[in-house]
Amino acid sequence: MKRKFEYAVRTIDDEIVRDGLSAISKLDISPLSRDNYAVRGGVAVQSYLPSSRRRPTTDIDTVVGDSLRRKSDFITFVKPIVEYLKDNKFSIKTFSKESRSWLIHATINGELSNEEILLSFTRDSKLSYDNKRSRRERELENARLKTVESRKDVYRVLSTEDIIVQKFQRLSEILNDYPDIVNSLSKYYGEMSDELIRETMNRLRDTREKLLKDPDNKKLDSTGRAICDAYDIRILFEISGINEQYLLDTFPLWPFDHISREVKRGIIPIIHGVDGLEKVLISNNNQESLFPRASNGN
């Protein structure tokens, strides 16, 4: 199976991505999956943004409120999705897995068609899921409802605060391994101009083209991911409403203790203007959260 960066990048302005979101919306048909999922990652970010600010991505990534350890559990969970796709002339090419995800690769108009979508779903061991259960339940409780554009289908998406913290954590992991990448992120410490948005899209396009020629270049792959995360954090913070207290209370739920203080201090400016962020992230990682609900203004 192809690696993720080998798939075409798309936005939710593309009909085939809307097909994927319409399929995911069918999870609310089944009692097993109803209210038990939310789209995350790049497509989740796009769901909050106008078309001109949407960064293309390769897959629709969905967080699930169950561990889905066994393949049979996964196939049962996604049954409404598969039925919708087949009813709409998609072929389910593969059910497969990555280290922490189940994948559905669906194509339309033949095996060699570029009309394909990749759907990803979280997969956890029992121990891993038990350790993150309270965080996962909180994420799903605070998820938002979005309507697939030009359609009536409604899907669930993580709150902007949960997206931001998740991306901040992944970015910190990348910089912990490749600290010098931080030098390419300083542009995201200020406001997002139209010029910077265009430059970001060009940088990501160029990085992807290089990666296709050098697919085992882990640092290049990490650089692209870091740019994506920095852009997503900054653009969400500027355009969407943020509940700052909910944001602050989310950070202690994610693993940051093993990340160096230098790395954390180096990327805090991406979320500038939130009082108490440095204290929560660096000085007091173990403080208890009050777990307030996120505002409905997102």
Side-chain angles (χ1 to χ4, degrees), residues 109-124:
N109 297 329
E111 291 288 319
L112 300 179
S113 171
N114 191 41
E115 292 300 303
E116 58 186 358
I117 50 176
L118 184 66
L119 309 180
S120 303
F121 302 83
T122 52
R123 181 179 70 90
D124 300 283

Side-chain angles (χ1 to χ4, degrees), residues 4-15:
K4 283 188 177 181
F5 62 80
E6 295 178 291
Y7 284 83
V9 292
R10 304 179 188 276
T11 72
I12 58 177
D13 297 293
D14 292 307
E15 282 298 313

Side-chain angles (χ1 to χ4, degrees), residues 8-48:
V9 292
R10 304 179 188 276
T11 72
I12 58 177
D13 297 293
D14 292 307
E15 282 298 313
I16 196 166
V17 178
R18 294 179 183 179
D19 288 337
L21 290 173
S22 290
I24 288 172
S25 77
K26 306 311 174 189
L27 288 174
D28 283 320
I29 294 174
S30 168
L32 175 67
S33 51
R34 184 181 303 131
D35 301 331
N36 202 27
Y37 75 94
V39 174
R40 64 176 185 175
V43 170
V45 175
Q46 292 181 41
S47 300
Y48 289 97

Side-chain angles (χ1 to χ4, degrees), residues 53-67:
R53 300 296 189 262
R54 291 170 180 165
R55 172 187 63 78
T57 188
T58 56
D59 67 331
I60 303 175
D61 194 4
T62 301
V63 62
V64 176
D66 290 306
S67 64

Side-chain angles (χ1 to χ4, degrees), residues 234-252:
R234 188 67 244 156
I235 201 73
L236 277 179
F237 194 80
E238 285 194 11
I239 291 182
S240 296
I242 300 294
N243 181 327
E244 293 189 7
Q245 189 58 56
Y246 182 88
L247 183 75
L248 290 172
D249 285 322
T250 302
F251 274 96

